Amino acid sequence: MARIPFPSMVSKGWGLAYSRESNTHFISDGSNKIYEVKMSNPPTLKETHRIISEDGEPIYSLNELEMIGSSFWANIYLTSKIAIINPTTNIASTIDFEYLLSIANAINLKLKNRKLTRDECLNGIAYDSKLNIIVLTGKNWPVMFQVDVDFDVL
């Protein structure tokens, strides 16, 4: 495994995703930017994506990153939304998983006798490509959710 210094142009490392097809890592920094790290010799880093909504507005606070199929999935920090990003166009559609937050809140209230705080938001995305399973969770959530997605709709 190659070691690369954390690039100074990335202010914070919020999310990291990997594409096997291109042997490329992608880093989010909490803004609307995604950086590409090519594992060449020497490794290279460059800003490759500035993410916008379907309305043309920047989508900030991109946090956790996961490569699912040919799209990036990124939670939007401090919300219950996930941006599904087309890496070719840099345009994202969003899905609001507010109902998962409601369920997690109810379970947390029952188990810990308190509601989740604002910081304990949706921020965990995992994908098993062999089983085609997406799992979502949040910071300090007492539960994980398996989500079925119709990729033909996205």
Side-chain angles (χ1 to χ4, degrees), residues 18-151:
Y18 177 69
S19 169
R20 281 187 177 85
E21 292 79 33
S22 63
N23 191 30
T24 304
H25 289 82
F26 298 92
I27 301 171
S28 67
D29 67 355
S31 68
N32 70 324
K33 300 173 190 166
I34 296 177
Y35 302 87
E36 181 178 290
V37 180
K38 288 273 191 190
M39 300 311 288
S40 53
N41 192 7
T44 60
L45 175 118
K46 64 180 177 178
E47 178 189 321
T48 55
H49 305 280
R50 286 188 184 229
I51 309 310
I52 59 171
S53 69
E54 292 168 330
D55 298 332
E57 296 296 317
I59 297 179
Y60 294 105
S61 300
L62 298 176
N63 191 346
E64 168 71 17
L65 275 182
E66 186 72 30
M67 199 74 178
I68 299 179
S70 60
S71 299
F72 294 117
W73 283 44
N75 77 292
I76 302 170
Y77 189 59
L78 297 179
T79 76
S80 54
K81 295 179 181 175
I82 289 181
I84 300 172
I85 304 160
N86 178 324
T88 303
T89 64
N90 295 331
I91 296 174
S93 54
T94 58
I95 300 176
D96 195 338
F97 288 98
E98 177 68 33
Y99 66 96
L100 297 184
L101 176 60
S102 299
I103 295 168
N105 243 330
I107 293 170
N108 203 66
L109 189 59
K110 190 157 189 86
L111 293 176
K112 298 181 182 176
N113 203 29
R114 71 169 182 85
K115 286 188 172 186
L116 296 167
T117 65
R118 183 170 183 258
D119 289 356
E120 294 172 317
C121 58
L122 175 72
N123 79 340
I125 306 167
Y127 178 61
D128 183 323
S129 61
K130 290 181 182 157
L131 299 175
N132 203 30
I133 294 173
I134 299 169
V135 177
L136 302 178
T137 192
K139 184 176 180 184
N140 298 323
W141 286 14
V143 64
M144 294 183 285
F145 299 92
Q146 181 177 325
V147 179
D148 295 319
V149 176
D150 183 351
F151 287 98

